[in-house]
Amino acid sequence: DNRITDQPMFIVQRKVRDYGYDSEHSDDYEWLETESGDYCAADERQTRILDKMDEQRRDIKGWTKAYYRDRWEFVTACFTEQGCKDYIRWNGHNLGETRIYAEGSYRNLEYQTVRNYLLSLTEEITKEEANG
């Protein structure tokens, strides 16, 4: 799987957007509607119109140009990638955009001991099933 990680700890992460950055230190921007207090982002059509108004230095009431940066935030850890997939299937509707990331457990004896013990249990069950 090209992760090259011995005894990985699988992590579910969700994308979080942080606003309030200066334009020089941001990933991009969105136009946010400010009159209702909901701060909903403009759609593509609205964005084109607001960008044009901004270029013309026109007064734009009820909207603010909000610069942001995206980052990945820890949600939960699992022993297997399948555990992460199951978690996302059950709870992904609450998370927005997600990804599965493999963290290393190098020199983490506690995690490796628990993981290896659990894996040994599944190996024992497989041997018992094979022996009938």
Side-chain angles (χ1 to χ4, degrees):
D1 62 6
N2 288 334
R3 290 191 174 118
I4 311 171
T5 304
D6 179 43
Q7 301 196 51
M9 183 180 310
F10 292 94
I11 307 293
V12 173
Q13 296 177 330
R14 70 178 180 162
K15 187 181 276 188
V16 176
R17 182 160 286 174
D18 295 323
Y19 293 94
Y21 286 88
D22 183 88
S23 62
E24 295 178 17
H25 303 284
S26 71
D27 294 335
D28 205 349
Y29 68 89
E30 287 183 322
W31 286 98
L32 301 178
E33 183 274 328
T34 58
E35 284 187 3
S36 70
D38 291 337
Y39 294 93
C40 296
D43 61 25
E44 288 182 42
R45 181 181 161 278
Q46 290 170 316
T47 298
R48 284 193 305 273
I49 293 167
L50 292 164
D51 282 343
K52 188 78 163 172
M53 291 174 67
D54 190 42
E55 287 172 19
Q56 297 169 352
R57 302 204 189 293
R58 292 174 53 193
D59 187 29
I60 303 173
K61 292 187 179 176
W63 292 90
T64 188
K65 192 175 190 177
Y67 291 90
Y68 65 83
R69 292 183 73 171
D70 290 330
R71 64 182 167 83
W72 290 99
E73 178 179 82
F74 174 88
V75 176
T76 193
C78 299
F79 287 102
T80 64
E81 185 174 15
Q82 186 60 49
C84 288
K85 289 177 181 178
D86 292 343
Y87 181 86
I88 291 169
R89 189 177 71 245
W90 297 324
N91 199 40
H93 62 282
N94 292 322
L95 302 175
E97 185 178 347
T98 60
R99 73 177 183 182
I100 298 172
Y101 191 81
E103 290 281 359
S105 63
Y106 181 67
R107 293 188 176 166
N108 184 338
L109 185 58
E110 179 182 61
Y111 175 81
Q112 291 176 3
T113 300
V114 171
R115 181 180 182 276
N116 290 332
Y117 173 72
L118 292 173
L119 286 172
S120 74
L121 294 177
T122 61
E123 290 169 6
E124 288 177 25
I125 292 170
T126 305
K127 287 177 187 174
E128 288 174 12
E129 289 174 355
N131 292 332

